[in-house]
Amino acid sequence: MIFGAITNSWRNHLAEQGLAELIAEAEARGSGHVELRQTCLGDCESGQGDDWRPNLPGLQSITDQFPALQFDLAMALPCLSGGVDPKGEQFQMALQAAKIVGREAPHLRLVDPDAAEAAWQSAGDIPESALDLANLAREAAAQGVTLSLENSGQPIGSMALLVEECRKRLSPQEGTYLGLCPDPTNQLRRFPGTDPLGDLDALPLDMLKIVHFKQARNGDPHPSVDTGDLDCGEMLRLLEAKNYQGPAIMEIPPHPDVFENLSHSYEFLNAASGR
């Protein structure tokens, strides 16, 4: 497993520090992966919403400066609401950016900002518009880009149902490029009383493309990955038992001491796994 950071944790720092400087600090703190999150890329992006575009030369420069780090690109996209054109300029540029930063293993993580009204309990609950995701996955697969979905508005198990249904519309090879970015704390905060770690444990390994660690206490965001509402140590042990080898991102909130909090998060998880 590769511990990593995400650029939205540095949202406040980007006003005074360049992206490369912040990535260098994350690497010095022990990060092996950095998730480059749309809206938190400094000079490496422009525009907002439908007008957002990655700065491809800027991202190439960032990637070249950190040959020992792994990267993926993350963006918000109404990918479960239908209507996103796989051949459209924005999605195509996002795929290009993912290929630049991901080198030999390009990865684009998507999160739909529009949460569904209720959790999907069965495949029949999934709207046809959400299944249009298969078209985006097919285009990503054709370019060798892994596509993962974060469970921002649905339980992990419901997102697994979506991936399973979309994979039925794809060839077996295309289906391997589509998976999830599970975030158990997202589920716990939106669906209290559910078992997000049980849902995570039920996922097949090939569906796990990247994972997010974060913590809350009494429902409020906690500045580091530590003890709290979710047993993050158990989450780590569960992933290790599944032999998950991919990135584990500390999605900790912005804070003046964010890098100290990042270091503490790594120390906590290393202690939890007995490293």
Side-chain angles (χ1 to χ4, degrees), residues 2 27 35 37 40 46 55 74 85 97 100 120 129 133 138 142 151 166 212 254 265:
I2 304 164
E27 184 177 38
E35 188 160 48
R37 176 62 160 88
C40 298
S46 63
N55 174 350
D85 182 3
I100 287 171
W120 303 324
S129 61
L133 171 68
R138 181 176 294 109
N151 61 303
C166 286
H212 279 181
S265 300

Side-chain angles (χ1 to χ4, degrees), residues 177-189:
Y177 284 89
L178 177 63
L180 293 179
C181 170
D183 186 323
T185 299
N186 277 353
Q187 175 172 333
L188 198 60
R189 293 176 66 184

Side-chain angles (χ1 to χ4, degrees), residues 6-86:
I6 185 169
T7 58
N8 56 339
S9 294
W10 316 327
R11 187 183 303 275
N12 299 339
H13 289 65
L14 280 165
E16 298 180 355
Q17 295 176 266
L19 181 61
E21 182 182 358
L22 295 166
I23 291 174
E25 180 65 21
E27 184 177 38
R29 299 279 181 160
S31 300
H33 188 111
V34 172
E35 188 160 48
L36 299 166
R37 176 62 160 88
Q38 171 202 22
T39 73
C40 298
L41 300 180
D43 294 337
C44 290
E45 63 185 346
S46 63
Q48 298 179 11
D50 292 341
D51 296 324
W52 175 81
R53 297 292 185 273
N55 174 350
L56 302 182
L59 290 172
Q60 183 68 67
S61 176
I62 287 290
T63 305
D64 291 344
Q65 291 178 62
F66 299 96
L69 279 179
Q70 295 181 8
F71 295 96
D72 72 287
L73 181 69
M75 68 180 295
L77 189 73
C79 53
L80 305 184
S81 307
V84 177
D85 182 3

Side-chain angles (χ1 to χ4, degrees), residues 17 68 76 98 112 119 183 191 197-198 200 206 209 213 274:
Q17 295 176 266
D112 193 320
D183 186 323
F191 299 97
L197 293 185
L200 176 62
D206 78 303
K209 304 301 185 184
F213 278 83

